[in-house]
Amino acid sequence: MQDIELSVSTVELVAASALQADRPVRVLQYVLEPFGVPLSSMTTGGLWRLTGTAIDDIGTRQFHAVLKVIHTPLRWAGIDAVPVEMRGFVVAHVPWRTEADVYRSDLAKYLPAGLRLPDIYLIEDLDEDSAAIWMEDVQPESAGGWDNDCYTRVAYLLGCLAGAPEAPMGAERDIADFVVGPGEHVFIPMLRSGILHSHPAFDHAIDHHLEQDMLLFLDHIPLLLTEAAALPRTRAHGDACPQNMLRAGGGTVAID
C-alpha cells in the first residue's frame, strides 16, 4: 500500500465537505485506517477510511470519508510479474486517471434515476503519477445478497447509461487490449496448461465440458474481436460487479 502523508488542512477540507458545512470546520480528532487493499488492481495504491469529529456553527459532529489513491501501473505492487518489455504496453493501455477524470466530469447529471456516483469531497494530485480521491463512505444495505432482480435492475441502469446520448465518453479501452495483455500473457496460457482443471472454481460448480469448451472458444477470439471493432462504442462502467455497484438508500451507487 502506498504511504500517505495527511495534513490537518486536508482533513478539515474533507470534513467540511462531508458535513456539508457552509464555513470552515475545526477538526477535533480523526483516525485514518487502511481497509480492503485490492493488490490485484494495477491502478489502486490503497484504500483508507477516515473517521473523526469536527466542530462548526452547528456544533460538534462526526464525519466519515473514504480515501482512494490511484496511481500509474508502474507503482503496482505486482509490477515485477509483468515482463519489462510489456510495461510500456501496460502504461499506454491502462488509463489510471480515468476514475478521477470521471469524478471531475459532469457525468453524474446524465446518470439514470436510481444510479448515482458517490459524493466526492476532494481530489488531489499527489504527483504526476498518482492522485488522492476523497469520497463518500457509502454504507451498502446488508440485507441479503444479489438475486436475479438485482442483476436485472442494475443491468437496465447500465444500459440507460450506455444509451445516454449527451453523456461524456471518457477514456476508451479496446477490448483487444485485454486479449493482447492479460489474456495472452496470463489467462490463455493458464487455460492451455490444464492447471485450471484442478481449480476449486471448476469443482462441482460446472459440468466437465467447460474447460474443453473454453479451449475451443479461443479459436473464435480473432473473429469476435473483428466483429466487436466494427460495433458502435458507448459508455460503460468498466468493472460492473456487486463489489462496485453498492445498493444504498433505495438505489445503486457506482464506484471504482
Side-chain angles (χ1 to χ4, degrees), residues 45-189:
L47 292 169
W48 294 262
R49 176 170 282 111
L50 175 70
T51 58
T53 55
I55 187 168
D56 61 4
D57 294 342
I58 297 177
T60 300
R61 295 190 283 164
Q62 189 173 46
F63 63 89
H64 306 265
V66 166
L67 166 62
K68 180 175 184 178
V69 170
I70 56 176
H71 60 198
T72 171
L74 294 179
R75 293 187 181 176
W76 176 44
I79 193 62
D80 289 343
V82 178
V84 174
E85 63 273 17
M86 282 296 298
R87 294 180 189 179
F89 175 90
V90 170
V91 171
H93 292 83
V94 179
W96 67 268
R97 294 181 178 85
T98 298
E99 189 168 4
D101 291 343
V102 166
Y103 291 144
R104 283 169 166 154
S105 75
D106 62 351
L107 177 66
K109 71 180 184 181
Y110 297 101
L111 296 180
L115 179 66
R116 70 176 179 90
L117 301 178
D119 293 334
I120 301 301
Y121 303 144
L122 180 67
I123 299 179
E124 296 181 301
D125 292 316
L126 301 177
D127 53 45
E128 63 180 9
D129 288 326
S130 65
I133 304 173
W134 293 92
M135 70 184 83
E136 172 188 2
D137 185 7
V138 179
Q139 298 298 314
E141 298 168 0
S142 58
W146 280 51
D147 54 23
N148 286 338
D149 288 340
C150 292
Y151 284 108
T152 300
R153 175 61 179 164
V154 171
Y156 171 78
L157 294 172
L158 292 171
C160 291
L161 170 62
E166 298 180 357
M169 287 291 290
E172 290 189 10
R173 292 197 66 183
D174 195 320
I175 191 172
D177 291 347
F178 295 96
V179 177
V180 176
E184 292 185 354
H185 289 82
V186 180
F187 300 112
I188 293 176

